[in-house]
Amino acid sequence: MGPYAAVFVFAIGIFLSNFVLGTFIMKKPFVGAPVSFSDYFKGGLGTHLTGILGGVIWGIGMSFNILAADRASPAISYGLGQGATMVAAFWGVFIWKEFRDAPKGTNNYIAAMFACFLIGLALIIVAKT
């Protein structure tokens, strides 16, 4: 299967699985009371568009990751794709300051996390596959 076919099959799988997983999580939520399908449609247009935009952004990124694996190697594609996790961690730590009230010594752990993550990504990227 080529990369474009893989993206298509993956997109169909995500679309179909959302009906199964969405229904299950609505009936057995992690937190709070179960909700019905009619509750889903009570959300505002902005809320739904935000979710759709998030899905589109994720889908484009995943598509580029799968397509890059065909041109580069799967290790390089995976490593570059996981850079998004590093960007999210960076935003959480430095932009939103999620750990500003954390106990002393937490910054050392955060620095170690960034270092280990970056070293791990580098090792995956340079790996021979």
Side-chain angles (χ1 to χ4, degrees), residues 15 18-19 22-23 26-27 34-45 47-52:
F15 178 75
N18 275 316
F19 293 106
T23 302
M26 287 170 71
K27 300 299 179 193
V35 295
S36 66
F37 284 107
S38 62
D39 291 331
Y40 174 82
F41 296 103
K42 290 180 182 174
L45 179 64
T47 303
H48 289 286
L49 289 177
T50 301
I52 291 169

Side-chain angles (χ1 to χ4, degrees), residues 98-114:
E98 293 176 339
F99 293 96
R100 69 177 157 259
D101 297 328
K104 286 187 177 188
T106 302
N107 289 340
N108 294 333
Y109 289 122
I110 292 171
M113 179 274 303
F114 278 118

Side-chain angles (χ1 to χ4, degrees), residues 27-84:
K27 300 299 179 193
K28 302 263 187 210
F30 298 110
V31 177
V35 295
S36 66
F37 284 107
S38 62
D39 291 331
Y40 174 82
F41 296 103
K42 290 180 182 174
L45 179 64
T47 303
H48 289 286
L49 289 177
T50 301
I52 291 169
L53 177 63
V56 167
I57 291 169
W58 178 85
I60 290 170
M62 186 66 187
S63 299
F64 286 163
N65 198 357
I66 292 172
L67 295 171
D70 188 51
R71 289 293 206 176
S73 71
I76 291 172
S77 177
Y78 177 81
L80 294 174
Q82 291 305 305

